[in-house]
Amino acid sequence: MQENRFNPWLHRYAVLVALCALGLIAIGGLVTSHGVGMAVPDWPTSFGYNMFALPFSLWLTGGVFHEHTHRQWASIVGVLVVILMRWVGGRKACKPLLIIGGVELLVGFALPLLGAEWKGGGYFLSGIGGVVLLAGIVWARNDPAPGNLPKLGWSAFWLVQLQGLLGGLRVVLDAHVFAGTKLGVVFGIFHGCLGQLFFVLLCIIALMTSRWWLERGVSKDESAVPDATPRGLLIATTALIFLQLILGATMRHQHAGLAIWDFPRAHGQWWPDMSDAAIQQYNATRSEVVAADPITAAQVGLQMVHRVGAVLIFSAVAVCFMRLRRSADVVLRRLGLGWLLLVLAQAGLGAWTIWSNKAADVATLHVVGGALSLVLGFLISIIALRFNFRCCTGGQNLASNAA
């Protein structure tokens, strides 16, 4: 049946795009860890040059290498996603892509006419519009991918453009202040969190293009009612991980260094003193060699919430693992074990980040580990929601999934 037709090359390409997105998260993590988000002060140009024509000699100054590599890698991922959307959308996607690309190209050419301050947005839209228009022109009479894959492809298509815009606004509006907060920080937090969800979406597409997903049979046993508790627990745990990533992104983009620099204690106590006198003392005795903004009581509290969240996540994932290991589904059992081990490693990386005085490579590994933990939670939840997942309780097997 067309609905279950497996395309190995589409699946391989979807996996490639997801891996490229993970690499983008890693490079972005290095940018934030090194505090070089403004190493290239203009956008979408780089020191006035076309992004892809920047002289290599300028790459070696300051933190330009990390920031500019992030921009170029993001552009490559954007092109890959447009191709993925065209592939899963099939020939039905051609006309919408032609319209969208044409509109973006026209608006991109028109924006600079409004003034010099609109040139950046015009260049950005012109570049995107050209790629989209080319994707619509390419002649390929392939059928749309099965199920909801075309809708997911369109979601990735729009999300990658929004991500690019947020990344650019993070640079352009960095110096602007709203409600006492630099807009660059706000856009940076949104950019980081949305990047995690973008990676999740691409991994879902990779899963749904796999042979295992397309040929997997849903249990025919309708006499028993599916146990919804594990599903709710899986979804809640995954949501908790995403909230934890939001907290982490908020801490990282404030560029205040380590608000708490010891572990497992916090400033020598199990719960640190956050009075004004204590905060002044912490700032006076900091040993960080990299210039950073003064830490505040709110930042100390935020890091403590992050630590408590880590304990809650590990506990919740451990419970999920105990439920999943009683499933008759070997895939869910293995994924549950992998999730538990990954979260345990993530906790170790969090401690190592503090002990290493927030070393950039360690902090970036912590970011990547968080992204993988979130993705695994999403994928396990989706598998459990689609298939007739049950657990074995009281020694009685209530689950039987057909392969």
Side-chain angles (χ1 to χ4, degrees), residues 16 34 49 91 101 155 160-161 253 255 271 309 345 374 376 379:
L16 172 65
H34 284 287
Y49 291 91
R91 56 179 177 269
S155 298
V160 75
Q161 296 188 56
H253 284 85
H255 299 295
W271 192 272
L374 181 67
L376 204 49
L379 296 184

Side-chain angles (χ1 to χ4, degrees), residues 242-265:
F242 184 59
L243 290 176
Q244 181 79 335
L245 294 182
I246 294 176
L247 288 176
T250 303
M251 291 190 300
R252 286 169 56 78
H253 284 85
Q254 289 176 346
H255 299 295
L258 289 172
I260 303 173
W261 50 81
D262 54 337
F263 183 84
R265 295 206 172 194

Side-chain angles (χ1 to χ4, degrees), residues 43 111-112 114-122 172:
W43 175 88
L111 280 180
L114 300 178
E117 66 274 14
W118 293 93
K119 283 186 177 180
V172 175

Side-chain angles (χ1 to χ4, degrees), residues 6 32 129 139 159 196 217 269 274 308 318 353 357-358 367 379:
F6 170 62
T32 307
W139 180 258
L159 201 55
Q196 301 278 355
Q269 305 176 59
M274 289 186 284
V308 172
T353 299
N357 199 20
K358 202 179 178 183
V367 172
L379 296 184

Side-chain angles (χ1 to χ4, degrees), residues 63-376:
V64 173
F65 181 81
H66 294 97
E67 166 62 9
H68 196 62
T69 300
H70 183 62
R71 292 188 182 191
Q72 291 201 334
W73 194 264
S75 300
I76 293 171
V77 170
V79 173
L80 294 177
V81 169
V82 172
I83 296 172
L84 178 63
M85 193 283 115
R86 172 65 181 83
W87 199 337
V88 298
R91 56 179 177 269
K92 292 182 179 179
C94 285
K95 186 175 180 179
L97 286 174
L98 289 173
I99 295 173
I100 294 169
V103 170
E104 289 180 337
L105 205 58
L106 289 174
V107 175
F109 285 142
L111 280 180
L113 301 178
L114 300 178
E117 66 274 14
W118 293 93
K119 283 186 177 180
Y123 293 154
F124 176 69
L125 277 177
S126 298
I128 292 177
V131 173
V132 174
L133 195 62
L134 182 61
I137 292 174
V138 171
W139 180 258
R141 296 182 59 81
N142 62 305
D143 292 325
N148 291 320
L149 281 170
K151 294 179 181 178
L152 294 176
W154 278 111
S155 298
F157 171 82
W158 290 113
L159 201 55
V160 75
Q161 296 188 56
L162 179 59
Q163 265 295 82
L165 180 61
L166 286 175
L169 291 176
R170 182 259 178 274
V171 174
V172 175
L173 300 178
D174 180 70
H176 292 70
V177 177
F178 178 76
T181 303
K182 292 178 67 175
L183 285 179
V185 173
V186 176
F187 281 113
I189 294 171
F190 277 107
H191 184 62
C193 295
L194 196 62
Q196 301 278 355
L197 293 178
F198 174 64
F199 176 51
V200 167
L201 179 59
L202 292 177
C203 288
I204 292 173
I205 293 175
L207 170 67
M208 291 186 175
T209 55
S210 67
R211 182 190 300 274
W212 179 83
W213 179 270
L214 293 173
E215 296 182 354
R216 176 83 165 186
V218 180
S219 174
K220 303 290 191 298
D221 180 13
E222 298 180 356
S223 60
V225 178
D227 182 3
T229 304
R231 301 176 186 182
L233 178 62
L234 290 168
I235 294 171
T237 302
T238 303
L240 185 60
I241 292 175
F242 184 59
L243 290 176
Q244 181 79 335
L245 294 182
I246 294 176
L247 288 176
T250 303
M251 291 190 300
R252 286 169 56 78
H253 284 85
Q254 289 176 346
H255 299 295
L258 289 172
I260 303 173
W261 50 81
D262 54 337
F263 183 84
R265 295 206 172 194
H267 295 301
Q269 305 176 59
W270 291 114
W271 192 272
D273 184 358
M274 289 186 284
S275 64
D276 292 341
I279 297 300
Q280 292 179 7
Q281 175 81 20
Y282 301 154
N283 281 301
T285 57
R286 295 173 73 182
S287 60
E288 294 174 77
V289 296
V290 179
D293 298 329
I295 61 174
T296 64
Q299 291 167 345
V300 174
L302 192 64
Q303 190 166 128
M304 289 305 299
V305 173
H306 192 67
R307 293 188 181 191
V308 172
V311 174
L312 293 176
I313 288 171
F314 178 77
S315 302
V317 171
V319 174
C320 290
F321 165 69
M322 295 302 295
R323 298 298 300 270
L324 291 171
R325 69 189 293 266
R326 294 179 292 174
S327 169
D329 193 307
V330 64
V331 173
L332 283 172
R333 292 202 302 269
R334 290 175 179 174
L335 289 176
L337 176 60
W339 200 19
L340 179 65
L341 294 177
L342 183 59
V343 169
L344 183 60
Q346 178 70 347
L349 286 171
W352 191 10
T353 299
I354 296 173
W355 294 333
S356 67
N357 199 20
K358 202 179 178 183
D361 52 349
V362 179
T364 300
L365 282 175
H366 189 52
V367 172
V368 173
L372 292 174
S373 300
L374 181 67
V375 162
L376 204 49

Side-chain angles (χ1 to χ4, degrees), residues 27 50 90 138 155 226 232 249 401:
I27 299 172
N50 180 287
V138 171
S155 298
N401 286 330

